[in-house]
Every structure is written in C-alpha cells, then in structure tokens.
Amino acid sequence: MSPPASTPALTLHDSQRRALVPFAPLDPNHVRVYYCGPTVYDLAHVGNLRAMLTADLLVRLLRRLYPRVTFVRNITDVDDKITARARANSETIAALTARTTADFHADLAAIGIVPPDLEPRATDNIAEMQDIITRLLAHGHAYEAEGHVLFAVQSFPGYGTLSGRDTDDLIAGARVEVAPYKRNPGDFVLWKPSDDTQPGWDSPWGRGRPGWHIECSAMAHRYLGESFDIHGGGDDLLFPHHENERAQSLCCFPNGTFANVWLHNAMLLVDGEKMSKSLGNFYTVRDVLARGPAEALRLLLMTSHYRSTLNFTFGGLEDATRTLDRFYRALETTPPRADGIVPDSVMSALCDDLNTPRALAALHALADAALAGDSEASSGLKASGALLGLLDQTPADWFRAGVGLDETTIATLIEERLAARKARDFARADEIRAALAAQGVALEDTATGTQWRRG
RNA sequence: GGUCCGAUGGCAGAAUGGUGAUGCAGCGGACUGCAAAUCCGCGUAUGUGGGUUCGAUUCCCGCUCGGACCUCCA
C-alpha cells in the first residue's frame, strides 16, 4: 500500500493581483465562496455554463481539501430585462422567474453541477440592500439625485483597483450618454425609481428597485460576512459589476476585505466571437444536449483551461464523446474498486489553478494502464472522475444510451448472425451487422462473444 | 480612442531559459472471415522582426493578427 498522497498546495489566479497566489483561507475550517448567478429571464446557454462549471470544479476541489465549504450563488430575479420579457410573454414576473429558475436548475443538474449551499434571491434581500444604501449615504459614499441613489466613485480611492482602470479612463472611454444628474460619469445606480408598471419596493427614497450591483454586495455580506475567500464569475463581469460590488462593500464595511481572491473565467466563443444573447450566436444547453451526451458537454468545457477562451463547436462535442468512449472502455475492461484514490498527477494538476487539461491528460494515462489490466489505475480513474464530476455511469449505460431497438431484438439478431458466421455465410452475417448499424447499433466480436453498443 | 488578454503540429490543448505533454484526425503494422475495440510504430508545431543570454517557444521591445472589457452579459 502506497502512503497517502500528500496534499498539494492549491494555487489560484487572483484577478486583482493578476497573479497566481497560494490559496490561504481566512478560516481553514470554513472556506467561503460567492459566485454571481443567473438573471432568470431566459434559458441558459452553454456560455453561461462555463462559470457555473468552473465554480463546481473549484468547490469540489475545496471540499476535498478543507473540512467545510460554504458556496453561495445568487439568483437575480429583479431586473429590467426580466420586466421586459415578462411583458413580452404576457406573463407575470413571478411566473417567468420561477419557470426560468427551474429550467436553470434542470440544465445544471444534467451536466452534473452540484447545487450551491445557499441560493439566495435578490427579491428576498431588498431590506439588506436598503440597509447598505442607507449606510453608504450616511458615510458620504452615495447621494440622491432625481429619485435615484447613486454611488460616488470619487469617494472611494480604491475604485478601479480590481479591474485595473482609473476613473479618467472611464470618462475618456464613455460611449454611453451620461445621465445629467451624475456627479461623475462613473457613478452608478444603487436605487432607482419605479413607475406603476415596474416592480418596486417602498424605501426612504420612494418606491423603487435596486441597481444591478447592490444585490451581490447585500447577499455576500448577509451569507458570508464582510470578508470571505473567493468571489468568482465570468470575466465580462469584472467591470463594471465586480468593481462596483467591491466599491460598495468596502465603503459600507471598511473593516472587511470583501473577497480575498477574485476568480474570472474566460468566455466561450462561437466562430471566434463571444457567445452572447445580444449577438444571437448562442446555443442553449438544451440545443446542445439534443446533439450529444450531457457528460460530453461537461468534458468539452474542461478541455480548455478556465482562463482561456474556448471556441465551441459540435465537432468538439464529438471529440469529447470519443474521449469518454475510451475512458468507459477502460473501466469496462478493468472494473475499478470502490476505494480508489485520486492520483497525485490529477490532484496536482487541479491544485495548479484548476488545470483541467493537464488533469485530463493524466486521466488518459490512467485509462491506458486500465486498458492493460491495471486495477489500481482503473480505480484511480474512477476516483478522479468522481472528483471531476465525470464517469459516474456504468460502462453499459454509457455505451448503450439512446439506442432505440429493444435488447431482445438485438440479441436475436446477434444469435442469427452468429449462426451465419458459424456456417461461414459471411454475406448474411455482414448484412445483419449493417442492418443493426443503420439503426445505431454497433457490434464488436470479442474473445468472449459479440458485444453491442450504440454506433 | 482607452484598458487588458492571447497567438504552440491538420484540429483541440499542456508545459518549459537547455533536445515541445496528451487527445482527435492521418499513415503503416498486429489482431479479425471482414470490421469494431485494443495493441505496436510513424510524421507534422512554438505568428513576425529585433534585444538580453553560452542557449529563447519561454524573459524584454516593436509589428501583424485575433479576442474581451469600457453598455446588458457567465
């Protein structure tokens, strides 16, 4: 028995420091993570999945390294896009957000993303938002103007530190009409007035609704405190969303540090361009699952490092499917024991800023060994798959999923072909094989008999 | 216009200041009635021009090209 694998140190890329840093939890007994969740007005697309999957892998790894992890991912259920979509659909906001949230959960479950420990909704945290706004006003970090409450970026010397830009850049680069009531072009809304057709809550500043950024400050504080370990999201959130969140939180809770480490994943591309709703070049999760196994989609998203852009193609989905074929073939050839351990080759790759491509290369080495009959390797492959959220099916389920023919019919035809082969009637044997292939069933003659799988 | 990131074989994609993983595809072979699966073997790459260095794909500068953010966005 080999000694227990030593635990490699976890290193993560911190956007704020723009460097790989050793991960040092504030409390090693309780690691706390916040991720920005979806605005629930439409089906998720595969690009949206990338941040969710990165968080999933991070949390799976953290749970292996630390005794307790609290992972919070919010649901944004108040937003002008939601209001507009509900109106366009002639449905209530509540119906739209409830349905979209359920769809979101189903899509994530399909690709094996574990739910967060807490999934607070923005509309359940209005009071916390108002509390933060009140404090920001009291400390001179915010001001009222024409029914709005705005954050004053110049009141916070650290503004721009996270995203690496200063307020002068923002003025120079402003491509949008600056509202005349803003003191500084970079100021952003904390609270805005609602008319009768818009959702609203009573507040000291009149009936209104929150700005976009304040909800995350409120929920992160409520559930994780003034200081916590990791805050993540897509790199398109770095500015302005995360910059503004950070500014609000640090000004409201100056004794805290807000997030210690900022994690940002790169975008998914389609034909070299960012996949996005506004460009219309997106595939929903359901579009993709109609064309390939969910597990292959999960694997595909791990073939590239989370900080590299990944060009999404259906060819890539097919490649991922073939890779899983080989992994499952290895598990089928040499069944794993239940007590396998994750080899150091996999752990060290993941601990190196979630280097999934390197981890997958290690899985290939394990699969090679398992195919050669190495039970230790097979068990390690299975255990590594469990850590990565892969290889949870039986090989039989994987190889036979989606076959329309019933097994009895297939077995009968296999027997008939076997008889033909014994009689050396290969024309008939090949005819049967071709007929099965036409219906998506592939045959493999092995030393122990003829096996079938989806073709 | 401002800020930032990237460019590795046909494709995907790691790594590294000193002979460039891994997978897919391709080619040859073994096995097979033929296939499939599996196994063995093979080929092909660091965008471009400089600089630092004994040595650069790696570090620095310019250029070209691509992408992201500056507006809702994972």
Side-chain angles (χ1 to χ4, degrees), chain A residues 224-364:
Chain A
L224 297 178
E226 297 185 359
S227 307
F228 54 96
D229 295 297
I230 300 171
H231 188 129
D235 69 12
D236 53 352
L237 296 182
L238 183 55
F239 188 90
H241 184 54
H242 288 162
E243 188 73 57
N244 293 354
E245 252 185 73
R246 176 176 174 274
Q248 293 163 344
S249 292
L250 289 178
C251 287
C252 188
F253 307 109
N255 295 323
T257 60
F258 200 49
N260 258 9
V261 176
W262 288 85
L263 235 53
H264 288 97
N265 58 275
M267 296 292 101
L268 201 64
L269 309 182
V270 175
D271 298 329
E273 264 196 321
K274 175 181 171 179
M275 180 182 290
S276 74
K277 293 247 166 83
S278 54
L279 288 172
N281 61 345
F282 63 91
Y283 299 102
T284 66
V285 177
R286 285 155 196 223
D287 290 337
V288 176
L289 294 187
R291 294 179 60 173
E295 191 172 355
L297 174 57
R298 182 179 176 97
L299 179 68
L300 171 59
L301 293 173
M302 304 193 321
T303 56
S304 145
H305 184 82
Y306 78 93
R307 284 191 287 114
S308 299
T309 54
L310 168 59
N311 200 30
F312 178 85
T313 64
F314 285 99
L317 189 65
E318 287 164 19
D319 286 350
T321 306
R322 277 192 286 273
T323 297
L324 288 169
D325 280 343
R326 185 169 173 85
F327 289 167
Y328 276 112
R329 181 77 65 183
L331 295 175
E332 181 180 56
T333 302
T334 306
R337 297 190 316 267
D339 63 347
I341 57 166
V342 179
D344 197 58
S345 57
V346 175
M347 277 304 282
S348 62
L350 291 176
C351 285
D352 182 11
D353 195 32
L354 302 176
N355 194 330
T356 50
R358 222 174 81 203
L360 292 173
L363 259 57
H364 273 105

Side-chain angles (χ1 to χ4, degrees), chain A residues 29 139 173:
Chain A
N29 292 313
H139 291 102

Side-chain angles (χ1 to χ4, degrees), chain A residues 10 23-32 61-70 227-229 260:
Chain A
L10 174 60
F23 177 64
L26 293 166
D27 175 3
N29 292 313
H30 186 192
V31 176
R32 288 159 294 160
L61 182 61
L62 288 172
R63 288 197 200 289
R64 174 118 358 184
L65 300 175
Y66 298 98
R68 184 181 172 204
V69 177
T70 295
S227 307
F228 54 96
D229 295 297
N260 258 9

Side-chain angles (χ1 to χ4, degrees), chain A residues 97-172:
Chain A
T97 58
R99 187 183 71 250
T100 308
T101 300
D103 288 342
F104 176 71
H105 287 158
D107 288 347
L108 293 201
I111 68 158
I113 292 177
V114 176
D117 299 288
L118 295 164
E119 192 174 48
R121 284 150 210 269
T123 54
D124 291 333
N125 289 275
I126 300 292
E128 282 72 18
M129 297 184 216
Q130 293 186 351
D131 183 52
I132 290 177
I133 295 169
T134 300
R135 290 201 208 192
L136 290 172
L137 281 164
H139 291 102
H141 291 295
Y143 58 95
E144 293 184 63
E146 297 186 21
H148 296 67
V149 181
L150 294 138
F151 184 89
V153 295
Q154 284 185 328
S155 74
F156 178 48
Y159 191 80
T161 307
L162 173 60
S163 59
R165 55 190 91 206
D166 56 47
T167 45
D168 292 342
D169 293 338
L170 301 177
I171 297 166

